[in-house]
Amino acid sequence: NEIDKNCARTGYIDMTEKLASLTGMCFYQFGAARVLPPEGLYGNAVLSRYAMELVGSWLIPAAVDETRGMTLVKIKAPNPFLVALTHLNFRQTPEENLLRVQAVRKINDLISKNNPQNLPVVLAGDFNCYPDSDPVKELAELGWNIGKVLPTYPSKAPARSIDHIFTKGADRRMEIVDRIGIDEKIASDHIPVMNNLRIHRNKQ
């Protein structure tokens, strides 16, 4: 989340390309959510060591002054799967809580419509809401599994669980093995979360 492309504040670099180079990831995809004048973009990125295919990138319900998006890619691993990355708006008001509920409904609808092979899906990002919140409950009702919940914010002393990784696997083909919070206090005001998954092959 929070990736710049050609923005003055980050030296006009393509942060997705730079991160891919630094991490040795050969494949990457940026999805813009906002325009930052004069000509920069701000959004989300997916990096992969496997080839990937962009399925789509869309704007989702959000406050007028902070447009948000969801990017969906197909990871062409030996057992292919989809990754959806999003970042929901942050203000803790009833109005913005409703927008987050609308956003997760839109995300679920977009993924369902763009997954004709019924592949397992990982949905991740900064949801800016707690595990017992309305948006998370909505995703659970729509069949998403949140798995282990970890405090991720603020990074100096994580106490709030607002960054989540959801999974949805057809016929339970995706199994959550482990989820780990990484002790990194400098790179962001959130700590990173590592999710280990096992994806089972289809039975023919």
Side-chain angles (χ1 to χ4, degrees):
N1 293 146
E2 301 188 359
I3 297 292
D4 283 359
K5 183 174 183 178
N6 199 37
C7 295
R9 67 183 183 182
T10 43
Y12 297 101
I13 66 169
D14 183 335
M15 288 181 65
T16 308
E17 184 178 57
K18 185 67 173 179
L19 286 167
S21 174
L22 290 170
T23 57
M25 298 289 185
C26 297
F27 305 95
Y28 53 91
Q29 181 65 54
F30 172 78
R34 298 174 63 186
V35 175
L36 294 181
E39 68 276 355
L41 297 172
Y42 168 88
N44 306 306
V46 181
L47 310 178
S48 175
R49 61 190 177 94
Y50 293 109
M52 75 166 74
E53 173 187 327
L54 176 64
V55 178
S57 190
W58 303 269
L59 292 179
I60 57 174
V64 175
D65 64 336
E66 51 162 331
T67 52
R68 301 288 182 169
M70 188 271 284
T71 298
L72 182 65
V73 298
K74 178 181 178 181
I75 305 296
K76 297 181 177 181
N79 296 328
F81 60 100
L82 300 182
V83 170
L85 187 62
T86 193
H87 185 185
L88 305 189
N89 49 304
F90 68 95
R91 297 184 186 93
Q92 300 303 312
T93 66
E95 294 77 16
E96 298 222 2
N97 182 64
L98 179 58
L99 282 171
R100 284 190 288 272
V101 171
Q102 293 170 348
V104 298
R105 287 175 182 165
K106 181 68 173 179
I107 288 168
N108 181 77
D109 184 54
L110 286 167
I111 292 171
S112 297
K113 289 180 178 178
N114 290 279
N115 188 12
Q117 295 176 286
N118 205 22
L119 295 173
V121 189
V122 177
L123 168 61
D126 179 0
F127 286 79
N128 276 310
C129 54
Y130 301 125
D132 61 350
S133 66
D134 293 336
V136 175
K137 290 177 181 177
E138 182 73 20
L139 284 169
E141 291 179 5
L142 291 168
W144 292 89
N145 176 25
I146 192 173
K148 183 179 179 182
V149 174
L150 296 174
T152 56
Y153 179 86
S155 57
K156 291 183 178 179
R160 305 175 193 172
S161 300
I162 59 174
D163 303 281
H164 305 302
I165 303 173
F166 298 90
T167 59
K168 183 185 278 190
D171 301 321
R172 300 191 180 278
R173 286 186 280 134
M174 181 174 286
E175 173 189 359
I176 299 174
V177 178
D178 196 13
R179 184 166 295 169
I180 303 164
I182 300 172
D183 185 15
E184 169 53 64
K185 297 179 174 62
I186 298 174
S188 171
D189 57 341
H190 299 240
I191 65 166
V193 177
M194 182 173 70
N195 205 55
N196 293 318
L197 301 172
R198 182 176 292 117
I199 302 174
H200 301 278
R201 291 185 183 275
N202 290 331
K203 293 182 180 180
Q204 302 295 332

